[in-house]
Amino acid sequence: MQPSDHDSPAGSGSLPTSPRMAPAQPAFKVQKTRHTLNDASSLSQSEISLPYRRSHPSAASLYASTLSPPASRSQSPIGRPASRISSSVFGAGANNGLALAAGAGDSPGDPLNLILRAFVPHVAVYTSEDTDILLREKGFARGLWELLRPFGERVQGKVIIRDSNGSSRTYEDYSIHFVRFGEGIVQPEPVTTSLKNAQTSRPNGISETSNDPGRGPPTQGISVSDVESVTDRHLRYAEESFFSLPQSPTNHGLDIDVPSPYYSLYLRRLLSGLPLTPHETFAHPVACVIAISSRNQTPIETLQRLYNESATGDARLPNWVNPEYLRYYVLVHEEERDDITRSMSLFDQMKRNFGLHCHLLRIRGTQSAATDDDSIPLPRSEWMSASEEMVDIRRSEDEEDFEDPTRYIFDSDATAVRTFIREMVTQSIIPTMERKVSIWNDQVASRRRGLAGRFVGLTKRWGFGTSNRTSLSGQSSGSNYDSLGFYFQDAPEAIMRKLADYAFMLRDWKLAHSTYDLLRGDFNNDKAWRYHAAANEMAAISLLIVPQNISARSRVETIDTAFEAAFYSYITRCNAPYGALRCLILGMELLRLRGGSSVDDAAKWGTRLLESRITGSVGDALIKERLAVCYASKQGMGTHLWGGRRRKSAMWSVLGAEAWVAQAKYIQAQRCLNEARKTYSELPSGNGIDRFAYASALVLGLGKQLNQSLDAGERLEDEGSDGSDEGSDEDDGSEAVDEESEALDAVRGRRISALGLPGGTAGVGLETAPLKAQLDATEEEKGRLDKGEAKDDFG
């Protein structure tokens, strides 16, 4: 580990060990290696090896998403990520998107990778009672869906997809999301205020306020407060566990392209558990797995009953969901108890009755344990909703006998599930989606393009349409927008929205953008504001992913206009803070990745997000960290790096540290402050913050407060360790030396220098050269303060 700049001179080696000390070393009962907080990289790596929580050892697996290996995330949330795209610092050069999607799957926490893995096909799971019983016996209380969900998040092998032009592309990072059939439905709000609080019946006969226990209660979508709470729990766990680290972790090199694990978690939970809503169809089922087990006595009749229930029965989806999604029939065969010959005969009968979209899934019926030779741990789902994760975290905090939620399955079962998912995706789901995109594009969307389509749009706008739907007043209307707040599934607008979403999930960005762009005007004319906001949001996002150059003028006329319209509609017209947060945070990340002058636009929308006060305290601090990254990614030119934004990056790092200190998240605050000091130290001495009294005082005050807080936590940890060791000494009756052994190859250095002493090495995150004038000209600074000449600014 590198020593801090004020503990020892640079390049000092390990202290020699005296021969007299050798026999005394085995008598030490307490051995600790103190690790410095001065090195930003060591902080991040310390979170990788977080130990189990003392009160609940089994709860450590709940926080595995922020304990990722160093190759999958950055050492510091305030790194200097190099832009993916080479461009001019003033935005005059090319800033195409050819490299945006390339290699996104190699970085699990990358924002673009999260976008590609969030908006993917959703597959509903609807099973019979005997299948649920079989899976419960295997240890999966929530049935087949719980077993399939982790494997769908990464489809094995290569997936080939054809776009609207007929060209094929191969992807190795494709995924799908398994959901429980009929859950997560969010009902639309009626257009008129008189109907908003009334209990109205949906066209399919189900009341909007019904609470069928079999289908789950109606939800209100993703809650920003739940996302904040989950991220706060992970941060709190890291803070509590840091002081109990047994030894200093290995110091790895910086990976500046990957954000902090907590920001990745925040963004992932923001995009997880997309609700089933009418204004966007990403969560609408592309396919439905209808499953029975080999225990079923009337298999064909049961499959027909399940189909009827999902299509026309009480379990059917609302009328704004297209019912023509793929049905995939699965026979779950239990290897130990059932006859494979009978199951094969039944499977052939299923294919004759229901077609080729069938699969025979052969799994073992017994529950696997960690001690079994051929058992493997079932990976925890990365895309569970924030509310679902909060339930598990609260259980771990409230229950004293909380058990590790990790499940184990046999290796043969895992192979069978992977084969089943790959076969279903490559042979059924992708071809079905490609065929529907071609049909909808030719029969519906093509009519809206060109002169004839524009003429039809004008006639609808002025009320000369041929729609037979009537408004509440009984007058004929040219709009297909229903007074209950949605378009019916057979309306052209609903079909085109589904076409655009299908194209986006198939990664045909150009077709998706052109279709979203057509829909924006229709939704605006119909005053369908939630549809209008969602269409503008996805139009901008798909255009940013399209592999083509975007000039500064086009960016202002298209992307900025779309984001502004989406944000205004979400906040003012729809009162939907989640939609506004998702819109701006995704736009900020995609603009940052394009580099050049797009970085300033990314920072503009990030600042707009902070001004709107949509996020909580955790989100506010994380956005400030990302703003520092945005400005740091702006590459300068020449020896003086003209056009760079290093000073603004350092300013937002300081503001991020201040936000973390207010929440008692001292490790995150230390990392931000280290990055700010490092950035200021790389500036010319005259361009630092030593000439700005308020800025210097703020940085020094934050450093002093962090020293006090970290030392207090260290003392509490030492007292707890000493108390436990004394107890063990009394029990053993042996005599031991009550002494702490420091690592001989590293000097103790948890504290940071509040005076900003210079002289550190180049790689240390606490280089404080800009603060040198604080020591050399104290009297001069006091005189400037008395005369009121100091600038209360960061420059």
Side-chain angles (χ1 to χ4, degrees):
M1 174 173 292
Q2 296 177 348
S4 61
D5 54 3
H6 60 277
D7 287 330
S8 63
S12 59
S14 302
L15 297 176
T17 304
S18 174
R20 293 178 296 176
M21 291 293 294
Q25 288 179 356
F28 290 161
K29 301 286 290 188
V30 180
Q31 294 184 356
K32 288 188 177 182
T33 302
R34 300 202 179 254
H35 27 272
T36 176
L37 293 180
N38 299 337
D39 194 346
S41 61
S42 65
L43 277 173
S44 178
Q45 288 302 316
S46 67
E47 295 166 11
I48 297 172
S49 304
L50 288 179
Y52 286 159
R53 203 170 180 177
R54 292 181 175 179
S55 57
H56 300 287
S58 300
S61 62
L62 300 178
Y63 304 94
S65 58
T66 49
L67 305 181
S68 55
S72 64
R73 63 179 176 87
S74 174
Q75 302 287 339
S76 171
I78 314 296
R80 290 174 173 78
S83 175
R84 290 177 180 266
I85 301 164
S86 176
S87 59
S88 169
V89 67
F90 298 109
N95 63 341
N96 58 66
L98 291 175
L100 273 181
D106 299 332
S107 302
D110 185 82
L112 179 59
N113 176 268
L114 296 178
I115 295 174
L116 298 181
R117 296 177 62 193
F119 300 105
V120 296
H122 283 56
V123 179
V125 180
Y126 195 45
T127 59
S128 60
E129 295 80 2
D130 52 279
T131 308
D132 295 336
I133 295 174
L134 173 60
L135 270 298
R136 279 198 295 268
E137 294 176 358
K138 283 185 64 66
F140 299 97
R142 289 178 284 185
L144 183 63
W145 163 75
E146 186 179 4
L147 173 63
L148 299 179
R149 181 169 63 162
F151 294 98
E153 294 172 359
R154 187 64 178 261
V155 179
Q156 187 180 27
K158 299 179 180 180
V159 177
I160 301 176
I161 302 177
R162 292 184 305 171
D163 58 15
S164 56
N165 297 324
S167 59
S168 300
R169 294 182 180 271
T170 302
Y171 302 98
E172 298 184 2
D173 59 341
Y174 202 75
S175 61
I176 60 175
H177 289 172
F178 286 98
V179 296
R180 304 175 76 173
F181 183 80
E183 286 195 351
I185 299 177
V186 176
Q187 300 302 334
E189 295 183 358
V191 177
T192 56
T193 56
S194 61
L195 295 178
K196 285 187 177 181
N197 298 323
Q199 180 178 352
T200 58
S201 297
R202 297 205 305 247
N204 60 3
I206 302 177
S207 172
E208 289 188 4
T209 60
S210 65
N211 189 2
D212 187 356
R215 297 169 52 86
T219 61
Q220 298 300 322
I222 299 176
S223 173
V224 179
S225 61
D226 288 341
V227 178
E228 295 266 340
S229 300
V230 168
T231 312
D232 181 71
R233 291 298 204 282
H234 282 256
L235 287 164
R236 190 184 308 172
Y237 179 81
E239 294 283 336
E240 294 175 355
S241 304
F242 177 78
F243 295 102
S244 59
L245 283 174
Q247 59 183 1
S248 176
T250 304
N251 191 1
H252 298 274
L254 290 175
D255 185 5
I256 60 178
D257 284 329
V258 183
S260 72
Y262 306 108
Y263 179 76
S264 297
L265 174 70
Y266 188 89
L267 192 57
R268 187 184 299 112
R269 291 296 171 262
L270 196 68
L271 300 175
S272 300
L274 296 178
L276 195 66
T277 58
H279 63 275
E280 62 180 14
T281 64
F282 289 110
H284 293 202
V286 173
C288 179
V289 173
I290 300 178
I292 61 171
S293 71
S294 54
R295 300 179 180 180
N296 198 292
Q297 300 300 322
T298 56
I300 302 299
E301 292 77 4
T302 302
L303 290 174
Q304 291 176 347
R305 176 178 59 83
L306 294 176
Y307 172 81
N308 293 331
E309 289 178 357
S310 62
T312 59
D314 293 338
R316 69 188 184 277
L317 297 177
N319 208 10
W320 36 266
V321 177
N322 192 332
E324 298 179 359
Y325 48 85
L326 173 69
R327 264 73 172 188
Y328 200 88
Y329 300 92
V330 176
L331 173 62
V332 182
H333 171 72
E334 184 181 0
E335 291 282 9
E336 289 92 349
R337 301 179 183 178
D338 293 331
D339 185 10
I340 184 60
T341 305
R342 177 181 176 274
S343 296
M344 291 294 295
S345 176
L346 175 59
F347 181 64
D348 293 337
Q349 188 178 358
M350 287 172 54
K351 290 191 291 185
R352 288 194 300 268
N353 286 272
F354 301 103
L356 298 178
H357 298 296
C358 300
H359 188 85
L360 175 61
L361 180 61
R362 301 173 61 176
I363 61 175
R364 299 173 62 176
T366 56
Q367 183 174 353
S368 177
T371 56
D372 294 338
D373 295 335
D374 57 344
S375 67
I376 60 175
L378 182 69
R380 186 173 174 84
S381 175
E382 297 181 1
W383 292 92
M384 63 173 60
S385 63
S387 58
E388 181 183 355
E389 185 173 3
M390 276 305 302
V391 171
D392 293 338
I393 293 177
R394 290 193 179 101
R395 285 182 53 244
S396 68
E397 295 173 349
D398 299 338
E399 299 178 5
E400 296 182 359
D401 55 347
F402 178 78
E403 297 181 357
D404 190 348
T406 304
R407 298 289 180 265
Y408 292 86
I409 60 173
F410 297 104
D411 190 26
S412 59
D413 293 346
T415 303
V417 172
R418 293 191 190 100
T419 304
F420 155 62
I421 293 177
R422 172 169 177 78
E423 178 181 324
M424 179 178 63
V425 170
T426 58
Q427 299 181 14
S428 298
I429 292 180
I430 296 298
T432 301
M433 294 179 67
E434 292 173 347
R435 183 173 61 255
K436 289 188 175 181
V437 165
S438 177
I439 294 174
W440 292 335
N441 189 28
D442 293 340
Q443 296 181 359
V444 181
S446 61
R447 298 180 181 178
R448 294 297 318 279
R449 300 186 178 97
L451 182 61
R454 294 180 181 180
F455 179 75
V456 172
L458 288 175
T459 57
K460 283 186 57 181
R461 180 177 181 180
W462 296 104
F464 298 105
T466 58
S467 175
N468 293 326
R469 305 191 189 278
T470 57
S471 61
L472 291 178
S473 59
Q475 298 177 354
S476 178
S477 173
S479 172
N480 292 320
Y481 189 57
D482 194 87
S483 60
L484 295 177
F486 62 87
Y487 291 93
F488 284 85
Q489 51 87 16
D490 56 347
E493 294 83 358
I495 295 177
M496 290 181 62
R497 173 67 205 212
K498 201 168 187 65
L499 165 64
D501 291 345
Y502 270 42
F504 193 95
M505 292 185 287
L506 293 176
R507 304 186 181 183
D508 190 351
W509 318 117
K510 290 185 178 180
L511 177 60
H513 169 71
S514 62
T515 310
Y516 288 129
D517 192 55
L518 283 175
L519 288 172
R520 291 191 298 171
D522 294 343
F523 295 150
N524 182 52
N525 296 334
D526 294 341
K527 294 182 174 53
W529 300 125
R530 198 176 291 267
Y531 285 84
H532 179 256
N536 278 279
E537 174 192 2
M538 297 310 300
I541 291 175
S542 58
L543 181 59
L544 287 174
I545 306 178
V546 168
Q548 69 179 20
N549 296 335
I550 301 179
S551 64
R553 179 178 179 181
S554 298
R555 193 169 60 246
V556 172
E557 294 177 352
T558 57
I559 296 177
D560 288 358
T561 303
F563 279 139
E564 183 66 38
F567 183 76
Y568 179 80
S569 295
Y570 274 133
I571 291 296
T572 306
R573 293 163 170 164
C574 305
N575 191 22
Y578 164 76
L581 174 60
R582 189 185 73 176
C583 171
L584 293 192
I585 199 170
L586 296 185
M588 178 184 69
E589 292 297 338
L590 292 176
L591 285 167
R592 181 188 66 85
L593 290 177
R594 283 193 166 265
S597 59
S598 299
V599 172
D600 294 324
D601 287 348
K604 177 187 70 174
W605 291 114
T607 307
R608 179 76 173 275
L609 186 58
L610 293 177
E611 293 173 351
S612 65
R613 300 184 181 274
I614 298 174
T615 63
S617 57
V618 174
D620 180 83
L622 290 173
I623 295 300
K624 289 176 180 177
E625 285 186 357
R626 296 306 293 173
L627 283 173
V629 172
C630 284
Y631 282 120
S633 64
K634 185 69 176 292
Q635 302 297 320
M637 297 182 63
T639 56
H640 295 285
L641 298 178
W642 297 106
R645 300 291 186 268
R646 294 176 295 169
R647 293 165 58 80
K648 288 187 177 182
S649 174
M651 181 197 72
W652 282 108
S653 296
V654 173
L655 294 179
E658 185 181 26
W660 288 124
V661 168
Q663 304 174 46
K665 303 296 189 298
Y666 302 114
I667 296 178
Q668 295 299 112
Q670 182 69 73
R671 295 165 67 180
C672 293
L673 191 59
N674 285 344
E675 184 63 25
R677 289 175 178 268
K678 181 179 179 181
T679 304
Y680 281 129
S681 68
E682 295 173 352
L683 296 173
S685 59
N687 295 333
I689 60 172
D690 55 316
R691 295 168 51 190
F692 303 98
Y694 180 79
S696 300
L698 177 61
V699 174
L700 294 175
L702 288 175
K704 184 176 180 181
Q705 186 175 357
L706 285 173
N707 280 335
Q708 297 173 352
S709 302
L710 292 172
D711 285 345
E714 182 183 356
R715 286 194 299 269
L716 291 176
E717 181 64 28
D718 292 342
E719 292 175 0
S721 301
D722 295 341
S724 60
D725 292 332
E726 290 175 1
S728 61
D729 293 342
E730 293 176 0
D731 296 337
D732 298 339
S734 60
E735 183 177 356
V737 180
D738 187 9
E739 184 177 347
E740 288 186 349
S741 175
E742 302 275 347
L744 298 181
D745 59 344
V747 184
R748 176 175 180 175
R750 179 179 294 276
R751 293 174 58 88
I752 65 171
S753 174
L755 297 178
L757 294 175
T761 59
V764 178
L766 271 182
E767 180 66 41
T768 54
L771 303 181
K772 183 178 180 181
Q774 290 293 118
L775 297 176
D776 299 337
T778 305
E779 296 299 329
E780 179 183 354
E781 184 69 24
K782 291 182 179 180
R784 289 162 52 192
L785 287 173
D786 294 339
K787 296 179 181 180
E789 298 177 358
K791 299 180 181 180
D792 293 341
D793 195 1
F794 287 92

